[in-house]
Amino acid sequence: MRLSCEVDVVNRLLPSHNVRKAKRGCHAQVSLGRKPAASASRSGSQLFLMVCTAKDRNGAKYVIKNNVSQVFAKFVSEGKATIRFKEPEQDLCLSKADPLQLKSLLSLVRAGAQGQDLDRVTLSSLAPASTKQVEKPRTELTVTSRKEYPVTSRFPASLEVLTVHSCGMKRLDPRILHLSRIHTLDLSLNALTSLPDDWGRLSCVSTLILTDNQLSEIPSALWKSQLCETIAVLDVRNNHIATIPLQICELHKLACLRLDNNGFDSLPPTIGKLTNLKELAVAQNKIKVLPAGFAQLRLENLDVSDNPFDLSVEGVTGEERLVFPTLMECVARAIRKYRIPYTEEDLFPQLFHYLAAARQCWCGNFCFTCSARYFSHVSLRHLVSNSYSASPGITTAPIEGFLCSQHCLTRFKNNPRAYWRN
C-alpha cells in the first residue's frame, strides 16, 4: 500500500521546549507494510508506516500496532488527514493526497493499530523509494514547438498549468481533457478550428487562453459544463468569431474577457449580467453600437478602440411594433424569463432560432420582434475606474436598447437615463 502526497512531520515536544518548527512539509511516498526480512513469516511480524522523501529515500518508519493514539480524518475528502503516534511523539500531517487512496490507507492504519489480521491485504515490502517516486510532481508544462510535444509520453497527471504554443494543433488532444487538476490552459498560436463539446474532467479551469487560432465560434462547452462556474479569464483574441453568443453572459465568475480582432458587430444585450467583469477588450471589431446592458458594467479597464461607432444615432424607433405579442413571442419570453433549459433537439427549428434573437428590456423582461428600439450615449469615463482605450476623439459610445411594452416606452420617455426593474 503506497500513497504519494505532501507530508509534514510535527514534533509535539517542540512547543514545550520553546522551539519553533523550522521546515515545512515536502512531497513524500507513504507506505504501509512489513520489513523485507519478515516477509517470509508474516504472522507476528510488525507492521510499519514508512515515509520516504527526496532527502531520505530509505524512509522513516513508525510502528503501527498499539502505537497510533488518534487518526484525524475530518477532511479526508479534500485529501487531508493527520496520524498521531505515541512513540515518537509526532503527528504525521498528510495533504494533497488522492482522497480514495488516503481513505483506504487510514482504514488499514486503524485496523493495524488495533492488531487486526491484515495477512490478506497486499502490503508494501518497505523497500527504499526510487528518485522518481519521491520527486515533487510536475505542476507546470510549457510546449513551444512540435518537437517538444509529448507524442509518445504522457502528460503528467499533476499538471495545473499547461501551455501549448506554436504547435500547429488543429484539434484538441483528447489526453488534455483528462488532466483534472488544470486551472490554467493556454492553447494560443495554434490552428484550432473548434473545440470538443466533451470537456472530460476539466472542472477546475479558471483561465482559458485561445488567442491566434482559427475559431469561428466560442466553444459552447463553456456554459454546458462545470466550466460555467469556474471560468474567470477568457481570451479569444485574433480569431474569426462572427457572433458572441447570448449564453456567454451565464459565466457568472468571468472577470476578464478579451475579444479583440474577431470581426463581430455586436455584443449580447444581457452583458450587464456579468457583475464580476472587471476587464473587457473588444478592440478591432465592427461594433457600431453597444447594448444598453453595457452601461450596467462596473469595469476597471476597457478597450473599445478601432470600432466604427455611429455617434449620430439617437432617439426611439419602431414604436409601431409595440402591439400584442404573438404566441411565438409569448412562448419565447416564458422560456427566457424562467430560464428553461433546452437544446436544438427539444424545439422546432423556427422557435430555436427565434430564441437566439432575445433582447432584454430595462425592466428586466425579454422581448423579441414585439419591441421598440432606442439609442442613447454613455460616457466611457463613467464606466471604468482605472483606464479605457478608444479611437482618437471618442469619449462616449452609442447605446442601443429595447423596450418591451407601451408602459416601458412611457417610462423611458419620462426619464431616458433612469434604470429600473419590475
Side-chain angles (χ1 to χ4, degrees):
M1 178 66 191
R2 294 180 178 179
L3 175 69
S4 294
C5 61
E6 294 281 328
V7 175
D8 189 8
V9 180
V10 179
N11 191 325
R12 298 196 300 275
L13 295 178
L14 291 182
S16 62
H17 292 82
N18 199 26
V19 177
R20 292 184 178 182
K21 184 177 179 298
K23 60 180 181 179
R24 297 180 178 180
C26 59
H27 182 74
Q29 178 183 264
V30 180
S31 306
L32 181 66
R34 296 180 173 87
K35 291 183 179 180
S39 59
S41 56
R42 289 189 173 184
S43 58
S45 61
Q46 279 192 325
L47 191 67
F48 290 90
L49 190 72
M50 184 172 74
V51 180
C52 298
T53 62
K55 292 184 178 180
D56 183 11
R57 289 168 50 191
N58 290 324
K61 300 177 182 65
Y62 300 85
V63 177
I64 294 297
K65 187 176 181 181
N66 299 324
N67 193 39
V68 178
S69 61
Q70 198 168 357
V71 175
F72 302 92
K74 183 178 181 180
F75 300 103
V76 67
S77 60
E78 300 177 11
K80 301 177 183 178
T82 298
I83 303 174
R84 176 163 290 178
F85 294 101
K86 298 177 182 177
E87 188 64 36
E89 296 186 35
Q90 294 179 352
D91 290 348
L92 212 61
C93 302
L94 312 179
S95 61
K96 298 183 180 180
D98 181 89
L100 294 178
Q101 293 183 4
L102 178 59
K103 188 175 181 179
S104 178
L105 175 69
L106 296 180
S107 177
L108 294 176
V109 168
R110 290 191 184 98
Q114 296 171 5
Q116 297 182 20
D117 184 13
L118 298 180
D119 288 346
R120 296 184 179 181
V121 180
T122 302
L123 300 174
S124 171
S125 62
L126 300 186
S130 64
T131 303
K132 185 177 181 180
Q133 290 173 330
V134 295
E135 67 181 2
K136 190 173 182 179
R138 191 170 185 179
T139 58
E140 296 188 18
L141 176 63
T142 300
V143 180
T144 57
S145 66
R146 291 188 178 184
K147 293 182 180 179
E148 299 176 2
Y149 197 84
V151 177
T152 57
S153 59
R154 295 181 178 180
F155 286 100
S158 55
L159 283 182
E160 297 178 0
V161 179
L162 175 61
T163 301
V164 180
H165 284 175
S166 308
C167 293
M169 185 188 297
K170 295 182 179 181
R171 290 184 296 179
L172 188 64
D173 190 334
R175 295 178 298 168
I176 295 177
L177 300 178
H178 297 282
L179 300 175
S180 57
R181 299 184 181 181
I182 281 188
H183 60 74
T184 300
L185 181 59
D186 185 350
L187 301 174
S188 55
L189 295 168
N190 283 290
L192 294 170
T193 56
S194 63
L195 293 178
D197 291 333
D198 180 17
W199 284 83
R201 303 177 187 176
L202 291 181
S203 58
C204 301
V205 174
S206 60
T207 300
L208 181 60
I209 303 175
L210 300 168
T211 61
D212 295 285
N213 278 283
Q214 305 294 323
L215 297 174
S216 58
E217 61 182 7
I218 294 178
S220 61
L222 292 178
W223 50 84
K224 290 182 179 178
S225 66
Q226 294 183 2
L227 292 174
C228 180
E229 301 298 330
T230 61
I231 288 290
V233 177
L234 178 60
D235 191 340
V236 290
R237 292 173 293 173
N238 304 325
N239 279 277
H240 306 294
I241 300 172
T243 303
I244 307 301
L246 193 67
Q247 292 89 338
I248 199 173
C249 301
E250 301 298 326
L251 306 180
H252 303 299
K253 292 190 177 180
L254 197 61
C256 177
L257 179 59
R258 303 189 182 107
L259 303 167
D260 302 323
N261 192 24
N262 273 285
F264 57 86
D265 58 6
S266 64
L267 291 173
T270 56
I271 194 170
K273 293 171 62 178
L274 296 175
T275 55
N276 290 316
L277 193 64
K278 300 302 179 185
E279 180 179 341
L280 177 63
V282 292
Q284 298 179 356
N285 285 293
K286 301 177 182 179
I287 302 174
K288 293 184 178 181
V289 292
L290 297 170
F294 194 87
Q296 299 170 233
L297 298 175
R298 294 296 176 265
L299 302 171
E300 293 179 359
N301 299 292
L302 172 65
D303 188 356
V304 293
S305 56
D306 296 318
N307 278 288
F309 286 146
D310 187 357
L311 298 175
S312 63
V313 295
E314 194 166 6
V316 179
T317 62
E319 296 183 42
E320 68 281 358
R321 295 181 181 177
L322 292 176
V323 294
F324 194 82
T326 63
L327 180 59
M328 174 87 76
E329 178 112 4
C330 291
V331 172
R333 288 188 180 189
I335 291 175
R336 285 297 187 191
K337 180 178 180 180
Y338 297 107
R339 298 183 180 180
I340 300 174
Y342 65 91
T343 63
E344 190 170 359
E345 290 76 21
D346 298 329
L347 307 172
F348 60 89
Q350 187 178 359
L351 178 57
F352 180 80
H353 294 295
Y354 193 79
L355 283 164
R359 304 160 176 174
Q360 191 172 29
C361 177
W362 268 20
C363 70
N365 292 326
F366 285 93
C367 54
F368 296 84
T369 57
C370 182
S371 61
R373 177 183 298 183
Y374 68 87
F375 296 94
S376 183
H377 294 160
V378 64
S379 171
L380 295 176
R381 177 70 267 175
H382 293 163
L383 294 177
V384 297
S385 59
N386 289 342
S387 62
Y388 72 89
S389 298
S391 300
I394 300 296
T395 58
T396 62
I399 294 293
E400 175 190 35
F402 297 89
L403 303 168
C404 67
S405 64
Q406 287 287 348
H407 176 66
C408 290
L409 175 62
T410 302
R411 296 178 70 179
F412 174 77
K413 288 184 175 180
N414 290 336
N415 191 351
R417 301 189 181 278
Y419 175 75
W420 66 85
R421 286 276 186 182
N422 280 343

